[in-house]
Amino acid sequence: MCGITGYIGFRDAYPIVINGLKRLEYRGYDSAGIMMYDGKKIQLTKTKGKVADLEVITNKEEKRKKGNIGMGHTRWATHGVPNDVNSHPHFSQSGDLVIVHNGIIENYDTLRKELISRGYSFHSDTDTEVLINLIEEVKRQEGCKLGKAVQLALKNVIGAYAIAVFDKTKPNEIVVARLGSPIAIGVGKDNTEFFVASDASPFIEYTKDAIYLEDEEMAIIKLGKGVKVRKINDDSIVDANIQKLMMNLEQIEKGGYDHFMLKEIHEQPKAIIDTYRGRMLADEGIIKMSGVDDNINKFLNAERIIIIACGTSWHAGLVGEYLLEDMARIPVEVEYASEFRYRNPIITPKDVVIAISQSGETADTLAAIKLAKSKGAFVFGVCNVVGSSIARETHAGAYTHAGPEIGVASTKAFTTQITVLTLISLKLAKAKGTLSDSAFRMYLQKMQLIPAKIEALLKIDEKVKEIAAVYKDAKNCLYLGRGFNFPVALEGALKLKEISYIHAEGYPAAEMKHGPIALIDENMPIFVIATNKGHYEKVVSNIQEIKSRAGKIIAIVTEGDTQVKEIADHVIEIPETEEALTPLLTTIPFQLLSYHIAVMLGKNVDQPRNLAKSVTVE
């Protein structure tokens, strides 16, 4: 949510900052702005709308693009409606200080009233303008430098933030700080240039060296002198840990696809291989996961496992519940992190908590992790971004190795999360003896075949497109599944809602009679997962109930199915596999279907309205 870019150095800052904003568009936003400093004057350009709209304005006047120092921002509105005035960056009252800010200042109203009593006036409705004027007031009152003013001001702030602040009276430095929202600093050769961004994607072609601030840390970035990192609360010096970036430019470009989402759907076979590579040795009958191996007794002695997550990750967690209980026979509860943290849950040191997040920065999940740790639980993280907050906050964990996921609607993150949860479940089942050696080896062999089966499944794209054309104008849809595929029904409905804005609901198929059946008529498409394992006959009965009420049935079936074909309006076949592994296959047609419907409706597939890739505020 929101994106920050910044540059200070010897290059023209404008192309770096503006291209950085484009790479952060996946985070979700409703307005954009840029600040340029040419050595004499600050040029501020802001607008409601997209980065492309911002470029139209800056291209009209070259002076708006000049300078070796710049900061940019994409805003996702929290305080004040999306408009030009509320867009970032924001000036202080004197015009000397400029800020870009991600997050929410919860006590902004109290601070605003205090500043008004001291003679400050405000042009926007934002909490950010309050913060920059608070910094200016502290700087004036204390007679201190910018870095100290930022530090003292933040001690009076309640909320979450990632900020970058520039002072034109000290034009050789930028001050950044973090609490709750991520911020990365790119370090150029010999400290001759520096980059600031919400993640490393805006500067990966310029440097592979990055510093990730931790919560309650700030950094003074000074040309020629490097980066000084301090704790905000006690002013203690922090050793700035420079990490080598593994990301490359090719990974965050579309690579010939029309949209990132389509690219990422097609990347799933490779992403799954990358996730189990080095961990699953099928021919040897071994699963090696250091995060589990090093803490095996924590898992084996756990009285229960609690999975916490949000959105798509929560759906992956539900699949994990079926896997862990079925294979390892450990009781599992799956919780929305946003509810878990506020409902006074019962947590004990005998619990293992698995936290799942694509970005590793989800605010509610991070807060739930901290709560679980405070109660003595062992916390295991599953995330995609190396060095992210969740990776650092948990006791141990496993990366999904999906590669950068740019499309807001998650696809390969979902299947790689399920892959990790499958490996954990199999490993614990083997260690507990709840799965025979022959069954364990069988699962490894079948798991190894999944990427090739997804490759084959992706070839039905044209057929899915034809089905999408039939139902693109539907106003409501139902998704039904049972057992391991109930969470896939939820995920399928979420994908359709996210990018096409069609109302859709997922249900356990047996629950249809407890309410949703009242909605079924000739205008209602119902997407049913009816694979030949598990509860096949029960699902067939559900399909017949739908058919008798004139509902339109689109069924996902196993190759060779004949029974469902006779009664469904459309069928999509998936390759045969074990029931526990079917979610990795059944989700693919739903991803393609949502994609094609959204494209046909002219929606912005990669940046759906009102949504952000990484939800870093409550």
Side-chain angles (χ1 to χ4, degrees):
M1 302 178 84
C2 303
I4 287 173
T5 61
Y7 176 79
I8 181 169
F10 58 87
R11 306 177 199 259
D12 288 337
Y14 179 80
I16 297 169
V17 175
I18 205 76
N19 289 329
L21 290 179
K22 291 176 182 177
R23 289 182 189 166
L24 294 176
E25 285 187 300
Y26 74 92
R27 297 174 68 87
Y29 70 107
D30 46 52
S31 53
I34 190 169
M35 177 280 287
M36 295 296 301
Y37 181 69
D38 62 6
K40 295 179 181 179
K41 189 176 180 181
I42 294 173
Q43 293 286 345
L44 204 61
T45 310
K46 311 193 292 184
T47 186
K48 176 185 175 182
K50 297 296 184 182
V51 175
D53 301 314
L54 181 66
E55 281 189 288
V56 170
I57 299 170
T58 55
N59 286 337
K60 291 177 180 177
E61 296 182 85
E62 277 300 310
K63 66 179 182 179
R64 295 181 180 271
K65 299 159 64 173
K66 292 189 178 296
N68 304 120
I69 299 172
M71 298 194 307
H73 191 267
T74 51
R75 176 180 184 254
W76 193 85
T78 56
H79 294 79
V81 299
N83 61 29
D84 296 357
V85 175
N86 288 332
S87 304
H88 297 207
H90 285 285
F91 274 125
S92 65
Q93 184 154 290
S94 70
D96 288 342
L97 309 186
V98 187
I99 190 173
V100 286
H101 164 227
N102 292 351
I104 293 176
I105 307 303
E106 294 176 8
N107 62 332
Y108 87 102
D109 191 49
T110 301
L111 295 171
R112 182 186 179 105
K113 288 173 182 175
E114 175 62 26
L115 289 167
I116 289 172
S117 73
R118 298 188 185 192
Y120 285 82
S121 57
F122 294 89
H123 304 285
S124 75
D125 301 317
T126 66
D127 53 346
T128 304
E129 191 183 11
V130 172
L131 179 55
I132 192 61
N133 279 311
L134 176 63
I135 293 168
E136 178 159 281
E137 176 64 6
V138 171
K139 187 171 182 285
R140 185 184 68 82
Q141 288 276 359
E142 299 294 327
C144 57
K145 294 179 180 179
L146 178 64
K148 178 58 71 173
V150 169
Q151 181 184 28
L152 293 174
L154 291 177
K155 288 182 179 182
N156 292 290
V157 162
I158 299 170
Y161 53 79
I163 61 171
V165 186
F166 174 73
D167 181 354
K168 74 176 183 181
T169 68
K170 294 276 289 183
N172 65 334
E173 68 179 35
I174 292 175
V175 177
V176 299
R178 171 200 169 140
L179 177 62
S181 295
I183 196 83
I185 302 166
V187 181
K189 186 178 180 181
D190 299 327
N191 296 322
T192 56
E193 61 180 348
F194 297 94
F195 309 81
V196 176
S198 296
D199 62 44
S201 61
F203 56 77
I204 56 172
E205 68 264 52
Y206 299 103
T207 180
K208 294 293 185 182
D209 295 334
I211 298 168
Y212 292 90
L213 291 189
E214 300 280 1
D215 276 350
E216 299 182 346
E217 288 182 356
M218 61 175 290
I220 298 174
I221 303 166
K222 193 169 292 189
L223 281 177
K225 295 188 177 180
V227 180
K228 289 184 179 179
V229 181
R230 293 181 178 273
K231 287 287 186 183
I232 293 169
N233 286 336
D234 62 12
D235 200 37
S236 58
I237 296 174
V238 177
D239 183 25
N241 178 30
I242 297 179
Q243 300 183 29
K244 287 289 181 184
L245 298 174
M246 305 305 293
M247 189 190 309
N248 61 60
L249 193 58
E250 183 180 308
Q251 289 178 302
I252 60 170
E253 294 180 336
K254 291 179 184 173
Y257 290 91
D258 290 337
H259 298 91
F260 281 111
M261 183 180 178
L262 186 60
K263 175 180 180 250
E264 287 154 9
I265 290 171
H266 282 264
E267 285 176 339
Q268 287 175 110
K270 180 180 182 299
I272 290 171
I273 291 171
D274 288 344
T275 297
Y276 68 59
R277 179 185 285 117
R279 292 169 170 163
M280 187 182 78
L281 308 177
D283 294 338
E284 298 174 40
I286 296 171
I287 292 176
K288 298 190 299 184
M289 300 180 76
S290 60
V292 179
D293 290 326
D294 294 346
N295 301 281
I296 191 68
N297 289 330
K298 295 278 190 184
F299 283 96
L300 296 181
N301 296 325
E303 291 188 350
R304 65 173 174 169
I305 292 174
I306 304 170
I307 298 176
I308 53 174
C310 300
T312 287
S313 296
W314 186 76
H315 296 154
L318 287 176
V319 177
E321 177 183 25
Y322 282 90
L323 290 165
L324 285 161
E325 291 196 343
D326 183 67
M327 294 179 179
R329 309 307 296 158
I330 301 172
V332 179
E333 296 177 14
V334 185
E335 300 262 10
Y336 282 113
S338 55
E339 289 295 313
F340 180 78
R341 60 179 294 199
Y342 285 118
R343 68 169 183 82
N344 193 24
I346 299 169
I347 311 167
T348 77
K350 294 182 180 180
D351 293 326
V352 168
V353 173
I354 298 178
I356 309 174
S357 167
Q358 187 282 135
S359 67
E361 301 293 347
T362 310
D364 286 316
T365 307
L366 272 167
I369 288 169
K370 292 173 183 177
L371 173 63
K373 286 173 68 178
S374 74
K375 302 292 186 180
F378 173 74
V379 184
F380 187 92
V382 177
C383 66
N384 189 39
V385 180
V386 176
S388 61
S389 296
I390 286 176
R392 297 193 301 270
E393 190 69 38
T394 48
H395 295 111
Y399 289 115
T400 52
H401 301 304
E405 190 178 65
I406 307 300
V408 167
S410 189
T411 51
K412 62 179 180 175
F414 180 64
T415 48
T416 53
Q417 287 166 354
I418 292 174
T419 300
V420 167
L421 292 167
T422 303
L423 297 182
I424 293 171
S425 302
L426 287 168
K427 186 168 185 64
L428 295 181
K430 178 76 181 301
K432 289 189 70 178
T434 52
L435 200 63
S436 68
D437 186 64
S438 60
F440 178 77
R441 285 177 173 270
M442 178 273 294
Y443 270 114
L444 299 195
Q445 294 294 335
K446 293 291 181 79
M447 187 69 196
Q448 194 168 242
L449 298 174
I450 290 293
K453 290 182 177 183
I454 294 177
E455 287 280 12
L457 195 49
L458 289 168
K459 293 177 181 176
I460 64 162
D461 189 49
E462 283 301 317
K463 180 173 184 177
V464 174
K465 191 184 292 186
E466 291 172 8
I467 295 172
V470 175
Y471 298 106
K472 66 180 175 62
D473 296 316
K475 302 303 179 187
N476 300 282
C477 298
L478 278 178
Y479 285 71
L480 303 177
R482 294 186 81 139
F484 288 94
N485 283 296
F486 160 52
V488 177
L490 294 175
E491 175 63 10
L494 177 63
K495 285 286 121 358
L496 191 67
K497 281 184 279 198
E498 284 181 313
I499 61 172
S500 71
Y501 318 146
I502 294 171
H503 176 249
E505 296 296 335
Y507 276 90
E511 286 295 304
M512 183 182 65
K513 292 188 287 292
H514 296 275
I517 198 167
L519 299 172
I520 295 173
D521 60 19
E522 67 278 5
N523 298 313
M524 172 74 82
I526 297 97
F527 300 90
V528 185
I529 303 170
T531 54
N532 65 2
K533 301 286 175 68
H535 311 283
Y536 178 73
E537 294 300 333
K538 298 285 187 184
V539 175
V540 171
S541 296
N542 296 141
I543 292 172
Q544 288 169 334
E545 290 168 345
I546 295 166
K547 194 67 177 177
S548 67
R549 289 159 178 82
K552 302 299 181 183
I553 300 163
I554 305 93
I556 294 178
V557 302
T558 307
E559 281 178 343
D561 181 281
T562 56
Q563 192 172 355
V564 174
K565 278 184 180 178
E566 292 178 0
I567 49 179
D569 296 275
H570 308 273
V571 294
I572 299 170
E573 293 187 334
I574 67 162
E576 174 89 38
T577 192
E578 291 301 305
E579 183 188 8
L581 304 182
T582 55
L584 292 165
L585 302 179
T586 54
T587 193
I588 305 299
F590 287 160
Q591 293 173 352
L592 290 169
L593 185 82
S594 299
Y595 170 79
H596 287 303
I597 287 176
V599 170
M600 290 173 186
L601 294 176
K603 308 303 182 185
N604 189 333
V605 173
D606 289 331
Q607 299 163 38
R609 69 187 182 198
N610 302 333
L611 294 179
K613 183 66 178 173
S614 177
V615 183
T616 57
V617 297
E618 291 184 44

